[in-house]
Amino acid sequence: MQHEAHAHHEQHQTHEHHAAHEDHAAHQQHATHEGHEQHQHHHGHGKVSWSTAAQATLHCLTGCAIGEVLGMVIGTAFGWGNLPTMVLAIILAFFFGYALTLRGILKAGVDFKTAFKVALAADTLSIAVMEIIDNGVIALWPGAMDAHLSEPLFWIVLAIALAAAFVITTPVNKWMIGRGKGHAVVHQYHH
C-alpha cells in the first residue's frame, strides 16, 4: 500500500513538473511573439497608421507638384505642345520627388550611392502611381490640357488632380510601409 502511495506521489509530481514546463514554454512563446511584433513595428512591418502613410504621400506629392508645375511653366514658356510638356513635367516630378528624399537621407550621413538606391526603392512606386493619377485627371478633364497658366481652369484641375493622386496613393504607401518597403526604408536613416 505504501508503494502504491509513493508511485501515485511521483506521478503527481511529474504531472506538476510537466504542467509547469508547459506554462513556461507558453510564456516564452508569448514573450517571443510580443518581441517579434515590437520588432516588426519598429522596422515598418505590421500595422501602419494612416497618418504615417499620409506623411509619406505628402512628401512625394510635394516633389511631384514642384516638378509638375515647373515642367508646365517651362513647356508653356517655350510654346511646346501638350505631349512634350507632360513628359517634361513627369520627368521633373520624379526628379524633385527623389531629390527631397535624397536630401533627408544624405543629412543622416549616408553616402550618395546608398542614399540614391534608398530613394529609388522608397519613392518609385509612389511617384509612378501619383503621376498616373495626376496626369490621367488632367488628360481626361475637358479643356484642361489646353488651359494656360493664366487661366483658373489650369490651376483648379491641377489642384483636383493632385488631391486625387494623394487620396489614391496614400493606401499604396500604407501597404508598402506595412511590408517594410517604400518610406519604411527611409525611416531607418532618420533615427
Side-chain angles (χ1 to χ4, degrees), residues 61-73 88-97:
L61 187 68
T62 302
C64 288
I66 292 168
E68 289 272 330
V69 172
L70 188 60
M72 289 176 193
V73 167
L88 178 63
I90 292 169
I91 290 168
L92 290 176
F94 273 92
F95 174 79
F96 282 100

Side-chain angles (χ1 to χ4, degrees), residues 59-60 62-64 67 92-102 119 123 127:
H59 185 268
C60 283
T62 302
C64 288
L92 290 176
F94 273 92
F95 174 79
F96 282 100
Y98 289 139
L100 287 179
T101 298
L102 265 174
D123 289 340
I127 295 171

Side-chain angles (χ1 to χ4, degrees), residues 160-180:
I160 291 169
L162 291 172
F166 176 80
V167 168
I168 293 167
T169 308
T170 298
V172 172
N173 280 326
K174 186 176 190 299
W175 177 80
M176 286 173 52
I177 294 168
R179 277 146 191 78

Side-chain angles (χ1 to χ4, degrees), residues 61-137:
L61 187 68
T62 302
C64 288
I66 292 168
E68 289 272 330
V69 172
L70 188 60
M72 289 176 193
V73 167
I74 292 169
T76 302
F78 285 114
W80 294 354
N82 290 337
L83 186 61
T85 300
M86 188 177 274
V87 169
L88 178 63
I90 292 169
I91 290 168
L92 290 176
F94 273 92
F95 174 79
F96 282 100
Y98 289 139
L100 287 179
T101 298
L102 265 174
R103 187 186 71 172
I105 299 169
L106 289 171
K107 273 186 184 176
V110 178
D111 65 281
F112 183 81
K113 187 178 177 182
T114 303
F116 187 70
K117 286 179 182 177
V118 169
L120 287 178
D123 289 340
T124 301
L125 181 61
S126 180
I127 295 171
V129 170
M130 206 165 277
E131 287 304 297
I132 290 167
I133 303 305
D134 178 26
N135 288 289
V137 168

Side-chain angles (χ1 to χ4, degrees), residues 30-84:
H30 180 70
T32 303
H33 181 70
E34 280 182 349
H36 182 66
E37 282 180 350
Q38 287 173 348
H39 178 76
Q40 279 189 327
H41 180 70
H42 179 70
H43 289 287
H45 300 283
K47 289 200 172 209
V48 177
S49 72
W50 282 103
S51 172
T52 301
Q55 286 176 334
T57 306
L58 195 58
H59 185 268
C60 283
L61 187 68
T62 302
C64 288
I66 292 168
E68 289 272 330
V69 172
L70 188 60
M72 289 176 193
V73 167
I74 292 169
T76 302
F78 285 114
W80 294 354
N82 290 337
L83 186 61

